[in-house]
Amino acid sequence: MHPGSLALPAAFSLAEVDRTAGGRDLITAIVAGYEVGIRIGLAAKGGMFKTGFHNQGTTGVFVAAAAAAHMLRLDAHQTQHAFGIAGSQAAGLMAVQDGAMTKSFHSGRAAQSGVYAAQLARLGYTGIPDVLEADYGAFFSSFVDDWSEPELTADLGTRWETLRVGFKPAPASNGSICAMTAIDQIMREHGLAAADIENMTAFVSHNTLHHCGWPYEADRIQSVLSAQMNLRYGIAVMALERDYGVAQFHENKIRDPEILKFIARIGVEHELKFEGDNGRYRVACRLVVRLRNGTEHETTVPLSQGKPGRPDAGRATHGEVPDLDEAN
């Protein structure tokens, strides 16, 4: 959900116009936004993504509303209505992942919606009081088929979901980062060059298959985002350039003939063992690489670097890549 893209602009925008706001207010508002949004996201059990909605635009409005409500010093009643107003503005379609500029618009619009909602609630404007759990036309009943009410408040105030937020070591989707880590590990371990590789197959979860496993074809490329969201591109650029920084995700790279040629060697298939366990391995990748000499190498990267359980956010050679069985 990238809560930072929602809580920070909402909190900072209101702090800028309130000279009495201090650092403690700002940090508390941001944490409030993270906790509220992440818990709502967990309660949705990944259902919105499966039906094609983008969490930054949908659940994101609650992140911003919570942060804004704290900055505006709303009471409980006003905050309830701020959520109710924000929920009616929830929107965002996941098809933007192919490279449309609209993906980043979702977080900006959701942050704006949360601020509007809190400002309106302060003026006495009302929203849906049970915006999350109403039987008909509420957030969960409209966006998902199933949700978990306990996730909303389990260990509230003692277990901080904010501390479980990860950091990306590359400007790409998490599914792509795992795949890039996998090809990097195999190539380093066996001293391979891109020219040694005949073909490869990335085995991924249903989530990753749809999120970043789609075909990377010249006529589908809209922008740098197309490359950032596609694991085929990520694997190819890592294999060819042995890096995954900003320079590899640049406008002058995304239609590079050599990268497109290498992408043709990459297949993506569904891996059933990455399902379940509350989506813990939704970005995991099992990569099988076949060399021109007939040799085959395989590795599994269950978590991307910088994530809870794998905090090493440096290069793929920094720290051991955990085995899936060990991670379980």
Side-chain angles (χ1 to χ4, degrees), residues 3-312:
S5 69
L6 302 151
L8 271 69
F12 272 98
S13 66
L14 292 171
E16 287 174 353
V17 296
D18 181 359
R19 294 296 182 181
T20 68
R24 185 179 295 274
D25 297 314
L26 193 66
I27 292 171
T28 304
I30 291 169
V31 173
Y34 271 55
E35 290 299 315
V36 167
I38 294 172
R39 285 174 176 276
I40 291 173
L42 290 171
K45 298 163 64 173
M48 274 178 287
F49 187 90
K50 292 177 182 177
T51 54
F53 289 106
H54 187 201
N55 287 309
Q56 268 178 281
T58 54
T59 313
V61 298
F62 297 109
V63 178
H70 182 80
M71 292 304 299
L72 293 174
R73 301 176 179 84
L74 302 190
D75 62 26
H77 178 75
Q78 292 171 320
T79 300
Q80 179 184 16
H81 283 288
F83 291 151
I85 298 165
S88 282
Q89 300 176 79
L93 300 175
M94 202 58 232
V96 298
Q97 66 188 14
D98 278 10
M101 292 179 180
T102 324
K103 186 173 187 290
S104 56
F105 171 80
H106 287 171
S107 57
R109 186 65 180 84
Q112 181 188 52
S113 294
V115 172
Y116 279 2
Q119 290 175 324
L120 286 168
R122 184 174 60 171
L123 296 173
Y125 199 87
T126 62
I128 305 166
D130 51 352
V131 66
L132 294 177
E133 70 273 21
D135 291 334
Y136 173 76
F139 187 75
F140 288 127
S141 61
S142 296
F143 282 113
V144 297
D145 294 326
D146 182 35
W147 64 284
S148 173
E149 184 174 357
E151 291 287 354
L152 294 172
T153 56
D155 300 320
L156 185 64
T158 58
R159 188 186 79 222
W160 298 95
E161 298 297 340
T162 303
L163 299 177
R164 300 178 62 222
V165 174
F167 295 85
K168 290 184 177 181
S173 67
N174 283 314
S176 183
I177 291 172
C178 280
M180 287 189 288
T181 303
I183 186 62
D184 181 56
Q185 181 184 342
I186 288 175
M187 293 181 73
R188 287 179 184 275
E189 183 177 341
H190 300 284
L192 303 177
D196 298 324
I197 298 173
E198 177 70 27
N199 58 62
M200 68 186 76
T201 302
F203 295 88
V204 299
S205 70
H206 183 272
N207 177 294
T208 295
L209 185 65
H210 290 284
H211 191 33
C212 54
W214 40 274
Y216 189 84
E217 300 166 341
D219 59 355
R220 293 187 66 169
I221 303 169
Q222 295 188 52
S223 66
V224 171
L225 181 63
S226 297
Q228 292 176 311
M229 298 299 297
N230 192 277
L231 70 79
R232 297 172 197 260
Y233 177 91
I235 290 173
V237 77
M238 173 60 89
L240 291 165
E241 301 199 1
R242 309 302 294 117
D243 205 352
Y244 57 6
V246 174
Q248 282 66 50
F249 294 88
H250 190 276
E251 186 69 33
N252 63 12
K253 295 281 187 185
I254 61 177
R255 295 179 180 84
D256 186 300
E258 288 303 310
I259 294 176
L260 293 174
K261 184 179 178 180
F262 193 92
I263 286 173
R265 308 184 206 173
I266 303 169
V268 183
E269 295 185 18
H270 180 228
E271 180 70 271
L272 185 61
K273 70 179 180 180
F274 294 150
E275 306 302 335
D277 200 11
N278 292 321
R280 177 174 170 79
Y281 300 111
R282 66 187 180 278
V283 300
C285 177
R286 178 171 70 89
L287 188 67
V288 178
V289 176
R290 302 167 189 85
L291 306 185
R292 297 190 187 280
N293 64 10
T295 305
E296 191 171 281
H297 300 292
E298 176 181 335
T299 193
T300 296
V301 177
L303 301 170
S304 61
Q305 293 168 318
K307 296 300 175 187
R310 191 181 179 197
D312 54 312

